[in-house]
Every structure is written in C-alpha cells, then in structure tokens.
C-alpha cells in the first residue's frame, strides 16, 4: 500500500466524478490523479529532487490538495506554512528547514514580501501573476507524460509539521509515509467507521485548514470516492451555508468553532443536521458544549486525539460512545475514547507505568509516532519527548477501569496551589457548565502565598450576561475550596492560536493585566 496507490486506485474506480472543488473550480478523480502525477514528475524537471524540502504557502484550495499529494507521491518533503501566522513565523520555519523550493499563492496576505526575501532557490506560483516564475500549470504541462515515479520506502519522510508556538525556534516534527498510512487506516476504521457507505454520496466540507487536522481526511475520502469541498477560513455562518449548498455529509472542526455554532438558533443550524459525521479534535470540548452539539447540531459526533508528533487519530470517542454518554454514562463524555488499533498508550510517572485511575504522562508508541524532529541533533531546546520509539506527549491523564482514556491537561499547564495539583481542565468544565458562560480559560499565576493562584477568564453567550460575582459564587458552590479561582474575569473574546485553539500564553498575559488592574 502506498499513497500513490490510493490516488491511482481512486481514479480508476471513480474517474469522472468530482473529487475536489473550491470557489474557483473542481477536478475529477482522473484529472486530480493525472495532475498529481505530472506535477510530481515535473518538479524533478525544474530542479527539485526527491528528498528535498519544499515550503508551501497556500490557501485552503484544490491547489493545496494537489500540491500535497504531488509532493508526497514524488518523495519530496512538504513543509506547509499556515497563511494566518504571518511573515515572522514563516521566516523562522524557513530558516530552520532550509527548503530547496517554495510553492506559494500571491493572494495570501504578506506572501509576496516573504517570497522577495526567501532563500529558496526555486520559487513556483500557484497561478500566473505576470512574473517570470513557473506556475503549477506550466510545470504540469511540460512534464513528460507517463513517466514513472520511483518506489518509496514507507519509512522515508513526506512532511515536516512545525508547531505553531509563538516563542523560540519552531520545532519541525517529521512525518513519514508510514505515519500517514497509519492515519488513513485508523481514520477509516475508527473515525469514519461506516459513515462513508451511505446510500447518498459523501461530501466532506473542509472548513478547517487542510495543512492541519482537516487534511487527515483527504486520503480516506479519496479512497472512498467522496467529494471534498474546500472553504478558506470561513465564518461559521458561511460554513453552514456551504454545508447546505454542497449537500455536506462530513466535516471536522476544532471545539472553539463548535462553540461559535452553538450561538446560532436551531433554525439556522438546521442544515447541519444532515451531517453523517461531525468530528472534533485539537483541544478538549467542555461536556456542556458536547451535550448541546449532540442535541442541536447532530448526534453523529466523533472525537479523536493526536498531535503533530504522533499523527491522529491515536484515540477515538465514537458516535456510539457519544450516544451512550449523553443517554446513560456521562463519564464517557469526559474521555478521549479508546486507543485505535496498533496504538500503544501508557501513562507514566518518573519512567514507571502507573496503575489504572492514576494520573501520569501519556506515552505513545506504534506506527503513528513521528521519527523525531528536524535538526534534532543540532538543537538543545527540544526536551526529551522521543526516546526509543516512545513519545512522551506532555499530556497528563489516566486510563479508567472501563478502558477509556481521560486527559487532565498539558503537564506545563498544571497548577500547583497551596501544595495541591490542580488541573485547569476540571475547573474549566465546571465554569462552562454555568448557564450563559461560553468559553473559559483557567490559568495559574505566580503567588507569594500559594505558589500559584487560580484565575479564570470567560466569555458569555450573546443573549445572556453572567457577572463576575455570580460566576465566583457558582465556583464556590461547585468546587472544593482549593480548586476555586481567586478571581474570574469576564472578557469579550479569548485569544486563539492560528489553529483556533485557546492561546494559553496570550491568555496568561491577559489575566496578568486583568488581575493587576483589579488589585489597583
Ligand atoms: P497539535 O500538535 O498542535 O495538533 O496539538 C496537539 C495537542 O492538542 C495534544 O497534545 C493535546 O494536548 C491537544 N489535543 C488534541 N486533541 C485533543 C482532544 N481530542 N482532547 C483534548 N486535547 C486534545
């Protein structure tokens, strides 16, 4: 099995049907396969060699799918840049990975400036802008037709995934062909399950970036003959409209976007009820949001867990689990489900596996785990996350006696207050369950008396108000004293990362300012 086989197999099975489309056009399975093959061959002809790193700066588009697949089947190493993080981060990634080539869309904000300073020898434009640079279409047209591609070692690399950190030199996690194929198998078996086999054709709406979690669905959908519609950073209301217009049956979102959707009334959410799968991942979703999503958006919810260093899905909370969680066993909804086939997960403390129910660091091994970081041998700031095939994830959690895995938060976010270990997630859950409260972040700030003191910021649903004294009073009612925030702060918005997760570094700064203001 190879990724080239997936592309070719889809073309021979579903040839004339539409495989991918965006607001500018579409490609059938045959066209996609031909273009991917020709681009993979043509890149070699313009001087990019298999094994070279290629920076990619594209919008969520058909081009982003064909470039991703061409780089993969041609044996190049894709380094995707997030259009939303801006030139400073792109430059730091470029410096770390020293790419041979850069493929970009001049319509991405800041891209032309970045390209003018880029060190890549070969620069390719996604479509002509009047410059002398080659375009994708030209490379595809000039490539010799039918030239064969070499066989690839499954252990060879297909990508570097840089974390979106805001400080320090970004870390590029390596991803192999074997990692990607492991994800394809687990997606098909555990996340998509039977949902692609309905009587109606499957239509996947890529509302999140295909360079991150949404991209994990590209191969399974190709394999199953589904149509994939690419939206470029849509507003939630545009996403609902796109689901209606295209007859969307599947999508994957981060929890903050699901929370935005819950702001709409049931009539506005109606088109989403046709979804056969709404997957979410990337951060914990408060159980209260889960229940609302189940009742108001669709019961066909699936949660998965993973990270750039260990390709998702590592664990899955299936649609059946959600049903059971909502109707009879609420505890299941607090979990990230069970490990996928072939994924080994242990919880460890000080190098020893802890017993079921005990909190430890989640350690994972198996075919999903990245081979390591780019430039690992020259860096001293990577920590010890990889060791002999084991990945120390930095996530804390435990295995319940029923086999479901629970995450309590990142180890670096754990709060130690008055000698107690407190996990922000637990407090965030309680605050989110207060009627009217929408998003919450709980942080530990330095405190001379307590070591750290717990503080929280929250937003409210558009139709309600929850003032700070009432929120604090609710915390007193719901939480034991050592877990109660010392102060809570109502804000209009919480800071988000470019991938839509709550940005805890910026939230810490915000809470420092808010608490200073409050104390005078
Ligand atoms: P990234 O490497 O940017 O994809 O981020 C991975 C991290 O996001 C993980 O290590 C977890 O801390 C968090 N994460 C991913 N999926 C989930 C999930 N389903 N529930 C809770 N946290 C998650």
């Amino acid at each position: 099995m190879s990724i080239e086989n997936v592309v070719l197999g889809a073309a021979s099975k579903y040839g004339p049907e539409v495989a991918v489309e965006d607001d500018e056009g579409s490609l059938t399975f045959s066209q996609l396969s031909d273009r991917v093959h020709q681009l993979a061959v043509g890149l070699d002809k313009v001087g990019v060699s298999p094994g070279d790193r290629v920076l990619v700066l594209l919008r969520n588009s058909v081009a982003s799918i064909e470039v991703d697949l061409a780089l993969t089947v041609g044996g190049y190493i894709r380094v995707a840049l997030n259009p939303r993080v801006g030139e400073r981060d792109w430059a730091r990634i470029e410096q770390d990975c020293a790419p041979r080539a850069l493929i970009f869309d001049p319509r991405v904000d800041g891209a032309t400036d970045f390209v003018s300073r880029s060190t890549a020898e070969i620069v390719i434009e996604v479509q002509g802008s009047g410059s002398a640079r080659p375009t994708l279409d030209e490379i595809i047209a000039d490539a010799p037709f039918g030239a064969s591609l070499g066989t690839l070692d499954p252990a060879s690399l297909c990508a570097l995934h840089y974390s979106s950190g805001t400080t320090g030199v970004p870390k590029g996690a390596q991803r192999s062909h074997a990692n990607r194929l492991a994800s394809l198998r687990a997606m098909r078996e555990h996340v998509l399950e039977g949902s692609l086999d309905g009587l109606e054709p499957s239509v996947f709406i890529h509302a999140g970036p295909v360079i991150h979690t949404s991209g994990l669905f590209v191969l399974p959908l190709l394999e199953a003959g589904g149509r994939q519609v690419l939206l470029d950073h849509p507003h939630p209301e545009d996403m609902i409209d796109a689901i209606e217009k295209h007859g969307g049956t599947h999508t994957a979102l981060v929890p903050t976007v699901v929370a935005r959707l819950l702001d709409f009334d049931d009539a506005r959410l109606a088109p989403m009820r046709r979804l056969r799968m709404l997957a979410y991942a990337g951060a914990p979703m408060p159980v209260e949001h889960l229940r609302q999503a189940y009742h108001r958006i669709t019961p066909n919810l699936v949660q998965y867990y993973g990270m750039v260093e260990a390709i998702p899905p590592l664990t899955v909370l299936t649609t059946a689990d959600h049903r059971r969680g909502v109707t009879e066993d609420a505890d299941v909804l607090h979990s990230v489900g069970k490990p996928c086939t072939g994924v080994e997960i242990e919880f460890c403390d000080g190098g020893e596996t802890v017993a079921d129910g005990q909190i430890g660091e989640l350690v994972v091994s198996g075919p999903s785990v990245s081979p390591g970081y780019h430039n690992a041998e020259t860096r001293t700031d990577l920590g010890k996350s990889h060791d002999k095939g084991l990945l120390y994830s930095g996530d804390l959690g435990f295995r319940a006696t029923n086999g479901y895995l629970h995450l309590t938060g990142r180890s670096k976010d754990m709060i130690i207050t008055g000698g107690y270990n407190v996990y922000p997630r637990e407090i965030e859950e309680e605050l989110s369950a207060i009627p009217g409260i929408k998003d919450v972040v709980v942080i530990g700030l330095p405190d001379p008396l307590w070591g750290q003191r717990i503080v929280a910021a929250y937003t409210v649903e558009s139709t309600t108000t929850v003032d700070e004294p009432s929120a604090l009073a609710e915390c007193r009612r719901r939480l034991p004293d050592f877990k109660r925030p010392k102060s809570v702060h109502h804000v209009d918005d919480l800071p988000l990362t470019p991938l839509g997760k709550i940005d805890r570094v910026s939230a810490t700064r915000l809470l420092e300012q808010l608490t200073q203001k409050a104390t005078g």
Side-chain angles (χ1 to χ4, degrees):
M1 177 55 127
S2 69
I3 292 164
E4 189 185 9
N5 288 343
V6 175
V7 180
L8 289 172
S12 75
K13 241 167 139 180
Y14 314 108
E17 289 164 37
V18 172
V20 283
E21 71 179 273
D22 61 18
D23 55 0
E24 293 182 333
S26 63
L27 294 175
T28 65
F29 285 88
S30 303
Q31 288 168 329
L32 179 67
S33 169
D34 289 348
R35 283 179 65 88
V36 162
H37 185 270
Q38 290 302 95
L39 184 55
V41 172
L43 283 168
D44 201 3
K45 298 285 165 282
V46 296
V48 195
S49 305
D52 281 346
R53 289 176 290 282
V54 180
L55 271 190
V56 177
L57 178 52
L58 298 176
R59 306 181 315 158
N60 242 21
S61 57
V62 166
S64 64
I65 302 270
E66 62 184 16
V67 166
D68 166 33
L69 294 173
L71 292 177
T72 309
V73 304
Y76 310 95
I77 302 176
R78 179 187 77 139
V79 187
L81 298 175
N82 186 333
R84 296 186 62 216
V85 302
E87 208 185 320
R88 196 172 134 263
D89 273 37
W90 302 335
R92 293 189 319 171
I93 293 172
E94 178 174 58
Q95 201 183 357
D96 189 63
C97 77
R100 174 119 169 111
L102 162 63
I103 302 176
F104 84 109
D105 184 338
R107 291 167 300 180
V108 170
D109 270 356
T112 316
D113 279 352
F114 170 65
V115 169
S116 68
R117 289 189 269 275
S118 168
T119 53
E121 272 169 60
I122 300 162
V123 178
I124 298 160
E125 285 189 15
V126 74
Q127 32 172 246
S129 69
S131 78
R133 298 183 189 108
T135 64
L136 291 184
D137 281 349
E138 286 163 3
I139 293 175
I140 288 168
D142 291 348
F145 197 75
S148 66
L149 296 165
T151 313
L152 295 170
D153 176 355
S156 62
L157 301 186
C158 62
L160 298 181
H161 281 257
Y162 278 85
S163 46
S164 56
T166 45
T167 52
V169 180
K171 296 191 284 190
Q174 298 170 325
R175 188 160 283 172
S176 67
H177 286 255
N179 292 152
R180 221 171 147 178
L181 290 167
S183 170
L184 166 62
R185 278 192 299 275
M187 276 289 172
R188 186 171 51 204
E189 190 181 330
H190 300 278
V191 175
L192 291 152
E193 285 186 293
S195 72
L196 294 172
D197 313 326
L199 294 176
E200 289 185 27
S202 302
V203 181
F204 191 99
I205 305 290
H206 288 285
V210 282
I211 60 169
H212 199 245
T213 196
S214 208
L216 300 168
F217 291 91
V218 170
L219 293 178
L221 264 287
L222 265 184
E223 198 182 46
R227 184 154 55 92
Q228 307 191 47
V229 178
L230 290 119
L231 311 179
D232 188 45
H233 195 50
H235 289 296
E237 52 270 49
D238 297 334
M239 190 182 85
I240 300 175
D241 291 342
I243 289 174
E244 182 156 37
K245 174 174 162 207
H246 296 282
T249 56
H250 293 71
T251 194
L253 304 171
V254 287
T256 43
V257 175
V258 178
R260 293 290 90 72
L261 288 170
L262 293 173
D263 258 356
F264 294 110
D265 62 29
D266 289 357
R268 190 70 183 90
L269 289 173
M272 298 200 68
R273 280 196 269 284
R274 59 171 300 132
L275 289 174
R276 299 207 294 264
M277 182 203 79
L278 170 54
Y280 62 94
M285 169 119 84
V287 169
E288 182 50 33
H289 293 186
L290 253 174
R291 283 184 200 285
Q292 284 194 40
Y294 181 93
H295 291 297
R296 300 186 49 223
I297 302 180
T298 170
N300 300 323
L301 297 169
V302 183
Q303 180 191 176
Y304 59 90
Y305 158 73
M307 62 204 78
V308 294
E309 293 87 348
I311 191 167
L314 301 176
T315 70
V316 175
L317 190 71
T318 63
T319 301
D321 289 330
H322 281 85
R323 194 178 316 118
R324 197 156 64 77
V326 169
T327 54
E328 51 190 272
D329 181 4
D331 202 40
V332 166
L333 297 181
H334 289 271
S335 80
V336 290
K338 289 186 173 170
C340 298
T341 312
V343 176
E344 297 290 332
I345 291 182
E346 296 295 336
F347 291 92
C348 296
D349 190 10
E352 298 294 320
T353 301
V354 299
D356 284 358
Q358 301 283 312
I359 294 179
E361 180 178 9
L362 187 147
V363 181
V364 54
S365 58
S368 316
V369 173
S370 154
Y373 291 109
H374 180 64
N375 275 343
E377 56 300 338
T378 62
R379 291 184 61 164
T380 51
D381 58 343
L382 295 173
K384 283 199 199 126
S385 40
H386 287 88
D387 187 23
K388 302 187 191 80
L390 299 175
L391 178 79
Y392 289 79
S393 68
D395 286 325
L396 297 177
F398 62 93
R399 187 190 309 270
T401 43
N402 61 4
Y404 284 79
L405 308 189
H406 293 246
L407 295 184
T408 48
R410 309 273 307 153
S411 54
K412 63 179 166 39
D413 300 332
M414 191 180 79
I415 303 171
I416 305 181
T417 183
Y420 289 103
N421 292 353
V422 176
Y423 301 96
R425 167 97 196 260
E426 216 184 321
I427 305 169
E428 287 164 2
E429 282 286 355
E430 289 299 340
L431 274 163
S432 305
I434 300 173
I437 286 192
K438 197 167 63 175
D439 295 324
V440 180
V441 65
V442 169
I443 302 276
L445 292 182
D447 186 277
L449 187 61
W450 301 99
Q452 283 184 300
R453 72 180 185 287
I454 303 169
V455 292
Y458 66 93
T459 65
V460 295
E461 286 160 12
S462 49
T463 48
T464 48
T465 50
V466 181
D467 61 27
E468 292 170 2
S470 331
L472 259 186
E474 270 299 316
C475 290
R476 273 198 290 278
R477 211 173 62 75
R478 290 164 183 261
L479 291 161
D481 55 0
F482 71 98
K483 292 185 184 172
R484 284 177 202 149
K486 296 276 180 269
S487 63
V488 295
H489 304 266
H490 174 210
V491 293
D492 291 337
D493 291 298
L494 289 178
L496 300 180
T497 68
L499 292 169
K501 303 188 196 191
I502 289 180
D503 178 347
R504 302 187 88 90
V505 175
S506 305
T508 304
R509 260 183 258 127
L510 174 71
L511 275 160
E512 274 163 1
Q513 286 161 9
L514 291 170
T515 50
Q516 268 162 22
K517 224 195 268 167
T519 52

